[in-house]
Amino acid sequence: MTDKEFKRLKRSDLIYIIYEYQKKQEELLKENEELREKLKEKELKVSNAGSLSELAAKLNGLFEAAQQTADDYISGIKNNAIEEAEKKAESIIKEAEGKAEKIISDAEKSNKQNAETD
């Protein structure tokens, strides 16, 4: 509207126009605030995404270290078990050799006694 048209309007019409402009301004302010909140949320999500990717990388490193520790532990247990099994096997072999020598010795004594009695 031009200035001339505004001057021709009645006071009630002008008040109505002002009222409508105020309502529109309030709506725009409310929309502006909502958009600002959405923008903050998006910025927070973007910020958190960076933090989450850093956290995921750190956790990945932590899991790799934990896996390596578990592997080392299992390897140590296996090596210990193998050493113990080898020692046990050596002990059993020595015991068996001792028993075999005793049996052979007893058999030789028995053969000598039988030979002497014949």
Side-chain angles (χ1 to χ4, degrees), residues 49-64:
S51 298
L52 288 175
S53 64
E54 290 171 9
L55 179 61
K58 288 178 183 177
L59 284 175
N60 191 28
L62 179 65
F63 288 139
E64 288 174 1

Side-chain angles (χ1 to χ4, degrees), residues 5-19:
E5 290 174 330
F6 272 117
K7 288 181 182 178
R8 291 185 190 156
L9 289 175
K10 294 180 190 175
R11 180 177 171 102
S12 62
D13 292 335
L14 289 173
I15 291 174
Y16 179 76
I17 291 172
I18 291 171
Y19 174 74

Side-chain angles (χ1 to χ4, degrees), residues 22-71:
Q22 282 181 337
K23 275 181 28 180
K24 186 67 174 174
Q25 182 183 9
E26 287 173 7
E27 289 173 9
L28 291 173
L29 288 173
K30 184 177 177 182
E31 182 181 357
N32 189 350
E33 187 60 33
E34 290 171 0
L35 291 173
R36 285 179 194 268
E37 285 298 318
K38 286 181 181 179
L39 179 61
K40 283 181 186 177
E41 289 175 13
K42 298 275 185 196
E43 288 173 348
L44 183 61
K45 285 180 183 178
V46 168
S47 173
N48 285 342
S51 298
L52 288 175
S53 64
E54 290 171 9
L55 179 61
K58 288 178 183 177
L59 284 175
N60 191 28
L62 179 65
F63 288 139
E64 288 174 1
Q67 182 64 50
Q68 184 62 44
T69 301
D71 292 344

